[in-house]
Amino acid sequence: MQSCCFRGFQWNGTPKGKTEPFPTSTNQAYVTGVNKDTAIMLVHDAFGWSFGNNRLLADHLAEEVNATVYLPDLFGGEVLPSDSLSDRSRWGDFDMDGFQKRNSRAIREPELFECAKHLRSQYKKVGAIGYCYGGWAVFRLAAKGHNLVDCVVAGHPSWVTRNDIDGVDVPTQILAPEIDHAYTDELKEHTWETLQKHSVPFDYQHFPGVEHACLVRGDPKRPGERDAMIRGKNAAVGWFKQYLHRY
């Protein structure tokens, strides 16, 4: 992850959901919504499952899509303090190299798949959305042969590889800020070309003038970031409505 993955703004608001074991007692998840047929897994960014912005986004998806949204802890209980968003002088206090090693793709992917398999066994339709760190995760869930999700949304994804993009086999929406050192121009172009060649339904949303992380940690007081946040949320809601409510 780049330094941009740890920048941003903390939103005001009180989450409406609850926490519960998921899928076993070794994991916890924030759960919001009451739909018994349709579920969405939100894979958190670097600030983890307890970060207020992630939970508020889960609430919006649950209400506007009409789905039960699960935001599982994929960092083994470890979280980055959200107040560091407004105090960059604290960044040097964190062992970022160790944090990334402890939460590498290889370590966390088995848990990710276990969570998705649990939802697949309980619901008729399952979607996944991931921002930043969660971006690579939804690409993996969307891979051919897994049959774990019916559609995905990736917002300014990090740690994504060309192989991840090559494997996508379900309807995919990309929310891509113009300025992004993690989801590079090369990866953006490869996504566009590859999904067309594979005849996968996809929607590529370009957000001019804004940076990586704006969709989950944007500043509501900055017009460009506020507009991007609203547009990004609405785009994801529309995508999930289209592909999760067709039985």
Side-chain angles (χ1 to χ4, degrees), residues 96-163:
M96 297 313 305
D97 288 340
F99 176 81
Q100 294 184 72
K101 289 177 182 177
R102 290 188 295 275
N103 299 295
S104 68
R105 290 179 48 145
I107 289 174
R108 296 306 176 190
E109 184 171 296
E111 294 179 64
L112 172 76
F113 278 27
E114 191 65 26
C115 291
K117 288 176 182 176
H118 177 75
L119 291 181
R120 179 56 96 190
S121 71
Q122 300 295 315
Y123 292 87
K124 294 180 180 178
K125 289 285 186 176
V126 178
I129 182 169
Y131 297 90
C132 190
Y133 175 91
W136 70 266
V138 299
F139 274 94
R140 291 294 296 132
L141 293 174
K144 185 176 182 179
H146 290 158
N147 190 31
L148 294 174
V149 293
D150 297 290
C151 64
V152 299
V153 177
H156 40 71
S158 297
W159 288 4
V160 174
T161 68
R162 292 170 67 95
N163 286 339

Side-chain angles (χ1 to χ4, degrees), residues 225-246:
E225 292 189 5
R226 181 181 66 245
D227 293 345
M229 289 157 49
I230 294 171
R231 178 182 154 208
K233 184 269 294 179
N234 289 343
V237 167
W239 192 252
F240 284 134
K241 281 184 175 180
Q242 180 175 0
Y243 286 100
L244 296 182
H245 289 301
R246 298 188 309 174

Side-chain angles (χ1 to χ4, degrees), residues 20-29 31 41 70 72 115-116 118-119:
E20 61 182 50
F22 173 77
T24 68
S25 59
T26 59
N27 287 86
Q28 294 286 311
V31 184
M41 181 161 66
Y70 291 79
C115 291
H118 177 75
L119 291 181

Side-chain angles (χ1 to χ4, degrees), residues 162 165-166 185-195:
R162 292 170 67 95
I165 297 166
D166 293 343
D185 289 345
E186 178 188 3
L187 287 172
K188 291 173 180 177
E189 183 176 356
H190 186 69
T191 302
W192 182 269
E193 293 178 350
T194 300
L195 297 189

Side-chain angles (χ1 to χ4, degrees), residues 6 84 87-97:
F6 306 102
S84 65
D87 184 5
R88 296 185 183 182
S89 67
R90 296 190 56 200
W91 289 5
D93 298 338
F94 309 138
D95 176 17
M96 297 313 305
D97 288 340

Side-chain angles (χ1 to χ4, degrees), residues 141-217:
L141 293 174
K144 185 176 182 179
H146 290 158
N147 190 31
L148 294 174
V149 293
D150 297 290
C151 64
V152 299
V153 177
H156 40 71
S158 297
W159 288 4
V160 174
T161 68
R162 292 170 67 95
N163 286 339
D164 294 332
I165 297 166
D166 293 343
V168 168
D169 194 45
V170 303
T172 298
Q173 182 181 71
I174 309 294
L175 309 176
E178 177 184 0
I179 306 163
D180 197 333
H181 297 295
Y183 189 47
T184 63
D185 289 345
E186 178 188 3
L187 287 172
K188 291 173 180 177
E189 183 176 356
H190 186 69
T191 302
W192 182 269
E193 293 178 350
T194 300
L195 297 189
Q196 288 186 88
K197 290 178 182 177
H198 292 183
S199 298
V200 174
F202 77 99
D203 176 39
Y204 187 97
Q205 298 269 341
H206 175 68
F207 294 79
V210 292
E211 300 183 47
H212 178 93
C214 68
L215 302 179
V216 71
R217 296 193 301 277

